[in-house]
Amino acid sequence: MILAAEQKSRLVRSLKELRLPAMRACYEDQAEQARREALSYEQYLLSLVECERETRRNNRIARLLRESRLPLEKSLETFDRKRLPRRVDAHLSVLLEGSFLDRAENVLAFGNPGSGKTHLLCALGQVLIEQGRRMLFTQCSLLVQDLLIARRDLALARTLKRLRKYDGLIIDDIGYVQHSREEMEVLFALLADRYERGSVLLTSNLPFSQWERIFKDPMTTAAAIDRLVHHSIVLELNLPSYRLEESRKRNEEVVL
Ligand code: ADP
Ligand code: MG
C-alpha cells in the first residue's frame, strides 16, 4: 500500500513541479492518519487540499502584513474598544467588515493626541489584511518625502500608480508638521489620484477648520477636503489621552 521508492520520488517531483509545497510536506503524515482512522480516498484528498490552501492563505497574509508596514503591536486585541464613544464603536464594527474598501470610501479619524487614532486605524488595517486586503501604513511626513523624491526624479505618476494596488492607504498624522508648498502639492496630487479609486484612511489632530495650515491656500484646502469627505466615514475621538490616563492610574496606585 505504501509507495515504492520510485513512485515516491515521482510524486514528490510532481508536487514540486505543480508548486504544491504544503501537500508535499504533509502528504505522508496525513496518509498515515488516514490509514489509522480508515478515511476514504476523498476524505484524504480533502485534508491534503485544505492543508495546501490553508498554508497558502497564511503565507499570503504574512506577506501582506510585512508589505503593509503596520506596527503589529497595535492590534484589535490590544485595543480597548470600551473607551470609544458608542457612535465610533458602531462605525468600527461596520468598517471591520471591509466593504467600504470596495466603494473606495475614506476613513477620517480626528481627535487630540493620545486619543487612540493611530492604534484604531492600525487595528482596522490588520483585520482587513486578514481578510486578504492590501493595505499600506505610512507616516504622512515620510510619504510626502517619498513623493517629493519621486517628483524630482520625474516618477511621480509612476509612484502614484504603484500606490493604486493598495485597497487602503493609511496616512498617519496629516498636518502634524508644517508643510511647505511643494510638499502640499504632492500630497494633494496623491489625494486627487486616489479619489474614487481607493480608500484613504487618515488620522489628524487638526479639525477641518484648521486645514488651511496644511494646504496653505483656501482653494487647495477646500479641494482636498472636498475629495476626502465626498465618500467618507468620520471618526471623532474626543477622548482624554490614553497615555495620560494610564500614567495617572499608575500614579494613583502608587499613592494608594
Ligand atoms: P493618537 O494617534 O491619537 O495620538 P495613539 O493611537 O498613538 O494615539 O495612542 C497613544 C497610545 O495609547 C498608544 O500606545 C496606544 O497603543 C494607546 N492607546 C490609545 N487608545 C487605546 C485604547 N483604546 N486601547 C488600548 N490602547 C490605547
Ligand atoms: Mg497618532
Side-chain angles (χ1 to χ4, degrees):
M1 291 269 265
I2 297 173
L3 292 181
E6 182 268 339
Q7 288 173 316
K8 187 174 160 174
S9 79
R10 257 169 55 207
L11 174 60
V12 168
R13 227 178 318 124
S14 299
L15 290 173
K16 245 187 208 162
E17 197 177 310
L18 294 170
R19 299 208 165 74
L20 298 165
M23 273 174 124
R24 184 153 52 88
C26 57
Y27 84 90
E28 277 181 314
D29 286 349
Q30 300 248 10
E32 189 68 37
Q33 191 182 353
R35 274 190 288 272
R36 260 198 325 271
E37 296 174 12
L39 299 186
S40 67
Y41 297 120
E42 288 87 344
Q43 283 168 323
Y44 171 59
L45 181 62
L46 175 65
S47 67
L48 264 192
V49 170
E50 282 183 341
C51 166
E52 181 69 40
R53 201 198 52 188
E54 190 62 19
T55 309
R56 276 191 201 194
R57 186 187 169 278
N58 292 343
N59 290 346
R60 179 175 148 78
I61 304 296
R63 198 177 61 245
L64 289 178
L65 268 179
R66 265 197 313 277
E67 180 192 75
S68 74
R69 301 194 214 137
L70 276 164
L72 298 184
E73 72 283 0
K74 293 193 199 258
S75 66
L76 197 59
E77 285 72 41
T78 58
F79 188 76
D80 180 7
R81 284 182 70 170
K82 288 194 288 297
R83 285 190 93 237
L84 290 177
R86 194 178 298 178
R87 220 179 113 75
V88 174
D89 192 57
H91 274 312
L92 178 59
S93 296
V94 177
L95 292 172
L96 288 167
E97 289 167 13
S99 58
F100 74 98
L101 294 172
D102 299 321
R103 296 186 296 272
E105 285 171 4
N106 301 321
V107 179
L108 315 173
F110 292 105
N112 48 300
S115 56
K117 302 179 295 295
T118 302
H119 194 144
L120 178 61
L121 290 196
C122 288
L124 172 61
Q126 285 188 29
V127 171
L128 296 172
I129 286 177
E130 272 151 32
Q131 295 167 12
R133 305 287 195 159
R134 296 185 85 167
M135 308 291 292
L136 182 71
F137 173 82
T138 162
Q139 284 287 331
C140 185
S141 50
L142 294 180
L143 174 69
V144 164
Q145 290 316 308
D146 283 348
L147 294 177
L148 280 178
I149 292 170
R151 186 163 83 167
R152 188 199 61 199
D153 299 343
L154 305 180
L156 184 59
R158 204 179 335 131
T159 303
L160 293 179
K161 198 164 165 205
R162 212 182 53 236
L163 291 172
R164 285 184 202 161
K165 73 178 180 189
Y166 295 102
D167 299 303
L169 206 58
I170 304 178
I171 305 178
D172 197 29
D173 272 336
I174 186 172
Y176 208 56
V177 278
Q178 289 291 326
H179 301 277
S180 73
R181 176 153 221 109
E182 265 202 315
E183 290 174 320
M184 279 318 105
E185 277 167 14
V186 288
L187 182 57
F188 185 80
L190 170 70
L191 295 179
D193 189 80
R194 283 203 71 87
Y195 177 64
E196 293 190 335
R197 213 178 249 143
S199 297
V200 171
L201 299 84
L202 60 82
T203 75
S204 180
N205 301 324
L206 293 179
F208 283 139
S209 57
Q210 291 178 40
W211 273 34
E212 244 183 84
R213 279 161 55 184
I214 312 175
F215 287 100
K216 308 299 172 210
D217 71 281
M219 285 291 275
T220 318
T221 308
I225 294 177
D226 197 56
R227 276 168 183 72
L228 280 170
V229 170
H230 188 193
H231 311 282
S232 73
I233 298 111
V234 175
L235 307 174
E236 291 272 6
L237 275 82
N238 291 318
L239 298 171
S241 161
Y242 184 86
R243 283 180 281 242
L244 269 180
E245 225 169 53
E246 288 298 297
S247 68
R248 205 171 289 149
K249 266 191 225 157
R250 274 196 304 277
N251 288 339
E252 274 165 20
E253 277 161 24
V254 172
V255 174
L256 294 173

